[in-house]
């Protein structure tokens, strides 16, 4: 089988018999000029251009697909996620069940061989990549699949908690199925808007420098507040728990799964989508873990995730300031019939 090689021109819009591409010209936008690599899951991808900014996440970043953790290789399905090695220093608590590894057939996509499994009340926390950190910002993206309605019995059932001090006495952010809480003036109420029995992509970005918190479910913004104040202590923001932590012990039959967890001290990232437009991508997006990042070049590993290499695939660059190219850069080596026509950039809301 012939290997597809990705090459893109710096011209505004060109369609040939093999490639469909255009450059991003909007002032202040990440300007992608050239992409090279192979359309194979796990292969190297290089993105060149300008306006990417210098990486703010080099020291504190976690990309956990479960099956990419060498510490888990010798562990069987059903084994507790270890806390003495690997990416997590916390698994459950005296009042919660441990999260285990799941290596069965029910995976999120064809390229995955493992995910995290929890029953009733279960969560992970304290990523080792954020030990001794002083970051004022934190971005988290993860895929979450509950077997049933996580609002069936009401309460405030936590999907994620973000703290700085691990004794819980300072910054405390909680995103539950019903509200975003623990910022300056109280709580913002709204449903988490996810669905039972399917994989939902959840994202949250707490910006201690600007005093904002945003949360998204499947690409739709659920919460946006502008009165967040991080505590003045030096400890950086981290994930105290991620999973499912209900108020009441009434979810005995609930099963949760998690996969493809990305935690970073900056929202900068590369995303792959089958949507030509960022604003229409919803949860049809996959994070591309980057190896290096500077203002003119980004090196990443191709993560096809839910996609196939024969799909129409588009690349997006999200900068540390949350600027992103609204029109995607198409990767496939077949001509497209409806290419994006007007280069632009948007700021993520």
């Amino acid at each position: 089988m012939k290997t597809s090689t990705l090459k893109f021109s710096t011209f505004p819009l060109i369609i040939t018999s093999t490639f469909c591409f255009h450059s991003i010209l909007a002032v202040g936008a990440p300007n992608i000029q050239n992409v090279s690599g192979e359309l194979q899951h796990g292969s190297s991808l290089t993105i060149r251009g300008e306006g990417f900014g210098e990486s703010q996440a080099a020291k504190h970043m976690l990309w956990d697909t479960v099956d990419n953790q060498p510490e888990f290789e010798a562990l069987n399905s059903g084994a507790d996620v270890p806390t003495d090695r690997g990416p997590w220093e916390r698994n459950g608590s005296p009042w919660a069940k441990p999260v285990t590894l799941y290596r069965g057939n029910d995976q999120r996509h064809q390229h995955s061989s493992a995910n995290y499994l929890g029953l009733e009340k279960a969560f992970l926390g304290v990523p080792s990549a954020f030990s001794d950190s002083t970051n004022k910002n934190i971005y988290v993206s993860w895929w979450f699949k509950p077997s049933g309605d996580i609002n069936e019995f009401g309460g405030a059932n936590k999907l994620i908690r973000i703290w700085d001090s691990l004794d819980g006495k300072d910054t405390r952010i909680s995103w539950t199925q019903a509200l975003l809480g623990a910022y300056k003036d109280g709580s913002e109420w709204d449903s988490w808007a996810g669905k039972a029995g399917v994989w939902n992509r959840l994202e949250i970005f707490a910006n201690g420098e600007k005093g904002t918190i945003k949360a998204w479910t499947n690409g739709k913004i659920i919460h946006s507040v502008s009165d967040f104040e991080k505590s003045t202590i030096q400890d950086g923001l981290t994930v105290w728990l991620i999973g499912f932590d209900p108020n009441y012990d009434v979810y005995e039959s609930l099963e949760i799964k998690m996969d493809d967890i990305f935690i970073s001290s900056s929202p900068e990232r590369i995303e792959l989508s089958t949507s030509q437009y960022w604003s229409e991508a919803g949860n049809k997006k996959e994070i591309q873990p980057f190896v290096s990042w500077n203002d003119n070049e980004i090196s990443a590993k191709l993560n096809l995730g839910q996609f196939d290499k024969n799909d129409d695939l588009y690349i997006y660059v999200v900068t540390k300031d949350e600027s992103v190219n609204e029109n995607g850069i198409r990767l496939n080596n077949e001509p497209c019939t409806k290419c994006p026509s007007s280069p632009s950039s948007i700021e993520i809301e």
Side-chain angles (χ1 to χ4, degrees):
M1 180 180 295
K2 184 178 179 180
T3 299
S4 300
T5 300
L6 319 178
K7 292 184 179 179
F8 298 88
S9 170
T10 58
F11 293 103
L13 177 63
I14 295 179
I15 302 176
T16 71
S17 59
T18 55
F19 301 108
C20 174
F21 43 82
H22 64 93
S23 65
I24 305 299
L25 302 180
V27 176
N31 184 359
I32 303 172
Q33 298 174 340
N34 177 274
V35 182
S36 60
E38 295 182 357
L39 272 176
Q40 298 289 344
H41 183 74
S43 66
S44 296
L45 191 71
T46 301
I47 303 169
R48 297 182 178 90
E50 58 187 7
F52 302 150
E54 298 297 327
S55 175
Q56 302 295 303
K59 292 183 179 179
H60 305 295
M61 184 170 64
L62 169 64
W63 171 240
D64 181 10
T65 66
V66 188
D67 48 14
N68 71 341
Q69 301 300 322
E71 296 84 1
F72 299 166
E73 289 179 358
L75 300 178
N76 295 324
S77 187
D80 291 354
V81 176
T83 56
D84 60 343
R85 61 193 188 280
W88 303 99
E89 297 179 13
R90 185 178 190 226
N91 183 0
S93 69
W95 58 90
K97 296 180 179 179
V99 173
T100 62
L101 300 177
Y102 174 79
R103 300 189 184 279
N105 294 327
D106 184 20
Q107 300 297 329
R108 190 175 81 80
H109 53 75
Q110 62 178 324
H111 307 288
S112 178
S113 61
N115 58 55
Y116 291 127
L117 172 65
L119 301 175
E120 187 178 353
K121 174 188 280 194
F123 45 78
L124 298 169
V126 192
S128 55
F130 284 74
S131 297
D132 301 318
S133 66
T134 59
N135 55 295
K136 294 182 178 180
N137 306 331
I138 191 167
Y139 169 83
V140 187
S141 168
W142 72 108
W143 289 85
F144 177 75
K145 180 182 179 181
S147 62
D149 181 5
I150 63 172
N151 194 38
E152 182 178 1
F153 303 105
N157 308 321
K158 291 164 284 295
L159 302 167
I160 189 169
R161 267 188 162 174
I162 294 173
W163 292 1
D164 42 23
S165 173
L166 296 185
D167 61 12
K169 295 181 179 179
D170 294 280
T171 303
R172 294 168 62 99
I173 301 169
S174 296
W175 184 17
T176 80
Q177 94 294 357
L179 60 86
L180 177 70
Y183 57 96
K184 182 179 178 182
D185 291 329
S187 301
E188 181 180 83
W189 292 81
D190 207 336
S191 167
W192 77 295
K195 298 179 180 180
V198 298
W199 287 97
N200 301 272
R201 180 168 170 186
L202 306 182
E203 301 169 81
I204 187 169
F205 178 41
N207 189 327
E209 296 173 339
K210 293 185 177 181
T212 60
I213 306 175
K214 300 175 185 177
W216 301 260
T217 296
N218 295 323
K220 177 185 177 183
I221 192 158
I222 305 300
H223 298 286
S224 180
V225 300
S226 57
D227 56 356
F228 164 56
E229 290 185 4
K230 184 192 178 303
S231 72
T232 57
I233 65 170
Q234 291 297 309
D235 302 53
L237 295 171
T238 189
V239 174
W240 175 243
L241 71 82
I242 185 170
F244 188 64
D245 182 21
N247 279 91
Y248 312 117
D249 296 330
V250 290
Y251 288 89
E252 294 90 349
S253 62
L254 186 74
E255 174 184 284
I256 66 146
K257 289 189 173 184
M258 295 187 293
D259 203 0
D260 296 335
I261 303 172
F262 179 72
I263 308 175
S264 174
S265 54
S266 168
E268 65 194 24
R269 60 194 186 277
I270 310 302
E271 299 255 14
L272 186 71
S273 178
T274 50
S275 172
Q276 297 177 20
Y277 306 106
W278 176 264
S279 58
E280 299 177 1
N283 66 356
K284 299 298 182 183
K285 294 181 292 189
E286 296 286 346
I287 285 180
Q288 308 300 294
F290 64 87
V291 179
S292 63
W293 182 307
N294 61 49
D295 191 53
N296 303 111
E297 183 175 300
I298 304 169
S299 296
K301 293 293 184 181
L302 187 62
N303 169 39
L304 286 174
Q306 63 190 292
F307 308 130
D308 184 88
K309 67 179 182 179
N310 295 315
D311 292 335
D312 290 344
L313 300 172
Y314 300 86
I315 280 286
Y316 295 91
V317 173
V318 182
T319 70
K320 63 182 180 181
D321 299 318
E322 296 187 273
S323 178
V324 58
N325 48 299
E326 165 64 6
N327 295 344
I329 299 297
R330 191 172 189 269
L331 299 187
N332 306 65
N333 67 336
E334 295 293 336
C336 62
T337 57
K338 291 178 63 179
C339 292
S341 57
S342 57
S344 62
S345 172
I346 62 171
E347 183 173 322
I348 299 174
E349 296 182 350

